[in-house]
Amino acid sequence: MSVTEKEQVRTRFSDLDTQRHTTSRTYEDSCLGDRYRILEEAGYSWKRMIEESVRLQTVGADIRFLAQQMENTELSIRTSYRSGQDGLLAFSQEVLDPNGKVAAEIKTLVRTEKDGKPFQLIAAQDPSEELISSFESVPSFSGTCERTLAERDLFYCERNPFGDYNPSHYWRLLEEGRWNFTAECGLSLEDLVAMDTTLFYMGGKIRYRKPLAAGRRAKIQTWIHSFDKIWSRMRQEVSDSETGEILAESMDDLLVVSVSKSRPKKPGEDLLKIFARVTEFPEGGSK
């Protein structure tokens, strides 16, 4: 079954980031609320889910950001979904600006579980294999380059009513990894301006493997998978700093842009040289 609805969200000043526009996490948190609305309409409010040990486990997400938004903006969330066996649900959501223009697209694959086992909360309409195959896997790290490393605490106070972390918390960790990547490569804002270059995060793929553990530290490793014309493909892994288990991984799309012309461009030799030690496939593609 598939439905399409619209939910209204108003952005706040506190949603703005250092680039002075609404964070990607604002979009995801708003879409998450609408996913729970769909479950409530199917008979399971989040309160009932807690009472009956039913959980919504996120498996993967594909994201595209198309237009920046500011504070005090009325956004609409348009949601449709497909249901599969073993509790799988594939959500397709659009964040629309006041003029109806798409600001972001978020596709999310989730599984509803009860006591840790698949739970068919919504009747299946599509083969599970079809839903899973629509979310491509992220390539494994070849070990052919260095990776930058950041470690961050996982605070108890940032968990949701289920005692878990929302998907946007993974997004926060991945963004921390990207900021740390630039810093460890020795690039300041002044350096990028001097090279007439900046990198815009335009989206990517996130695959969730295991829950984040409160009170522990998460390790974020970041590197460049390859360059493809005007695109930088960045890879990241979030792992448990104690066990080393990979908790999430991503392949990000970063657009290389000329600061002076505000237009996409191919990365210059100066940038490629700086990133050489943390680039997996300097010639592009994969092996």
Side-chain angles (χ1 to χ4, degrees):
M1 183 178 66
S2 177
V3 299
T4 301
E5 301 284 348
K6 282 187 179 182
E7 284 288 303
Q8 298 292 321
V9 176
R10 185 177 180 83
T11 62
R12 305 162 300 176
F13 173 79
S14 58
D15 293 320
L16 302 183
D17 62 13
T18 56
Q19 280 72 55
R20 304 175 188 179
H21 57 74
T22 300
T23 71
S24 60
R25 298 185 301 279
T26 300
Y27 299 144
E28 164 55 22
D29 284 335
S30 299
C31 288
L32 176 65
D34 210 37
R35 297 198 288 270
Y36 274 99
R37 179 188 61 80
I38 296 293
L39 300 186
E40 183 171 7
E41 290 182 353
Y44 274 83
S45 67
W46 64 266
K47 293 180 180 178
R48 180 183 177 185
M49 291 173 67
I50 290 176
E51 292 172 355
E52 300 185 13
S53 299
V54 175
R55 296 289 186 272
L56 186 66
Q57 300 293 347
T58 307
V59 179
D62 291 351
I63 313 116
R64 286 206 313 157
F65 300 111
L66 305 172
Q68 297 176 352
Q69 301 300 310
M70 303 300 293
E71 80 278 20
N72 301 321
T73 301
E74 294 287 348
L75 301 177
S76 299
I77 310 299
R78 185 161 59 196
T79 300
S80 62
Y81 72 89
R82 299 168 64 194
S83 57
Q85 297 94 350
D86 299 321
L88 285 176
L89 294 167
F91 287 93
S92 180
Q93 298 179 280
E94 293 178 329
V95 181
L96 309 175
D97 71 11
N99 297 317
K101 182 179 179 181
V102 178
E105 296 176 346
I106 301 177
K107 297 181 180 180
T108 311
L109 182 65
V110 306
R111 178 183 285 108
T112 48
E113 298 179 354
K114 182 178 177 65
D115 296 320
K117 298 179 181 179
F119 177 67
Q120 201 68 44
L121 191 153
I122 296 177
Q125 298 291 326
D126 297 296
S128 296
E129 296 77 10
E130 188 175 319
L131 301 188
I132 294 172
S133 64
S134 64
F135 288 79
E136 297 178 353
S137 60
V138 171
S140 300
F141 177 51
S142 66
T144 57
C145 71
E146 296 180 32
R147 301 188 286 182
T148 63
L149 172 64
E151 289 194 62
R152 297 293 183 268
D153 291 318
L154 297 173
F155 296 108
Y156 288 98
C157 62
E158 294 185 333
R159 295 172 296 168
N160 62 25
F162 295 89
D164 301 322
Y165 291 95
N166 291 327
S168 62
H169 202 84
Y170 291 82
W171 295 31
R172 182 191 300 275
L173 293 171
L174 292 169
E175 185 172 350
E176 278 290 295
R178 293 193 295 272
W179 279 107
N180 181 74
F181 175 84
T182 305
E184 282 202 26
C185 288
L187 282 175
S188 65
L189 177 60
E190 290 74 21
D191 294 328
L192 290 170
V193 171
M195 289 187 287
D196 190 29
T197 301
T198 189
L199 300 171
F200 286 151
Y201 175 62
M202 302 297 292
K205 307 176 187 298
I206 304 174
R207 302 296 176 258
Y208 306 85
R209 291 195 181 186
K210 291 191 174 183
L212 301 170
R216 303 268 274 272
R217 288 176 66 82
K219 183 169 66 174
I220 310 106
Q221 292 177 290
T222 306
W223 68 101
I224 299 292
H225 175 269
S226 58
F227 286 95
D228 180 13
K229 298 179 181 178
I230 59 176
W231 292 98
S232 168
R233 310 297 183 187
M234 178 176 281
R235 277 280 284 110
Q236 295 188 273
E237 288 180 354
V238 178
S239 58
D240 187 296
S241 61
E242 293 184 20
T243 67
E245 290 183 292
I246 297 176
L247 309 177
E249 53 190 347
S250 71
M251 173 77 91
D252 305 322
D253 297 328
L254 276 71
L255 184 65
V256 184
V257 175
S258 164
V259 177
S260 63
K261 298 180 181 179
S262 298
R263 294 177 57 185
K265 71 169 189 175
K266 290 185 177 181
E269 290 299 322
D270 46 1
L271 187 69
L272 294 176
K273 184 176 180 180
I274 291 172
F275 286 158
R277 69 178 179 86
V278 288
T279 301
E280 191 172 2
F281 300 110
E283 303 303 321
S286 61
K287 299 179 181 178

